[in-house]
Amino acid sequence: MSKIDRVLYTGKTITTGGRDGASRSSDGRLDIKLSSPGTAGGGTNPEQLFAAGWSACFIGAMGLAAAKMKVALPTDLSVDTEVDLGVTEGAYFLQARLDVSLPGLDRDTAQALVDAAHQTCPYSKATRGNIDVIITLQ
């Protein structure tokens, strides 16, 4: 396991009530209601938050890779991320799919950016070998 030499940022939240509660950040920028998946509650859930964080981070990692490759990222790029919560033999697990769209880039360049991002994105690193992940390029 790699150790951090220098902390760049710490996200700090407090959550009450679990999946049917609320979460807010220490700086007040995040203040959300939580609801269990599939319920009538009006809040989001941890799987949606994880998907949003991972896709945003993945786009940032593609930006770093593009800068190194001297390639301009398309302004209309997107990462459609799905995080599944499932159960096997009574134990809960996650799995994920990232569908990356890099319109206007040739396939080889786009694939090189996706591959580099998956190697450098902290979310990809955290999940590697721990959950099933499928990354596709549109």
Side-chain angles (χ1 to χ4, degrees):
M1 174 171 53
S2 298
K3 299 282 185 185
I4 293 176
D5 290 331
R6 181 173 52 103
V7 173
L8 300 174
Y9 174 78
T10 299
K12 185 175 178 185
T13 63
I14 184 165
T15 301
T16 57
R19 286 184 171 270
D20 294 305
S23 189
R24 70 178 187 281
S25 62
S26 59
D27 63 6
R29 291 182 174 188
L30 177 74
D31 190 358
I32 57 169
K33 292 179 183 175
L34 300 169
S35 299
S36 293
T39 66
T44 188
N45 59 65
E47 291 72 31
Q48 289 173 333
L49 293 169
F50 187 60
W54 193 350
S55 58
C57 185
F58 201 87
I59 289 171
M62 285 193 299
L64 291 174
K68 286 181 183 175
M69 294 171 58
K70 296 184 181 3
V71 172
L73 284 178
T75 57
D76 55 347
L77 71 92
S78 64
V79 177
D80 180 1
T81 303
E82 297 176 328
V83 174
D84 299 323
L85 171 64
V87 65
T88 299
E89 297 178 5
Y92 292 98
F93 295 95
L94 297 175
Q95 64 185 20
R97 291 169 303 287
L98 286 76
D99 189 15
V100 181
S101 174
L102 293 164
L105 291 182
D106 68 86
R107 185 124 187 115
D108 289 342
T109 300
Q111 189 64 58
L113 289 171
V114 168
D115 293 344
H118 190 48
Q119 291 305 310
T120 60
C121 172
Y123 283 74
S124 292
K125 288 178 182 180
T127 58
R128 187 169 292 116
N130 295 311
I131 68 171
D132 287 333
V133 177
I134 297 171
I135 299 178
T136 57
L137 178 61
Q138 287 186 347

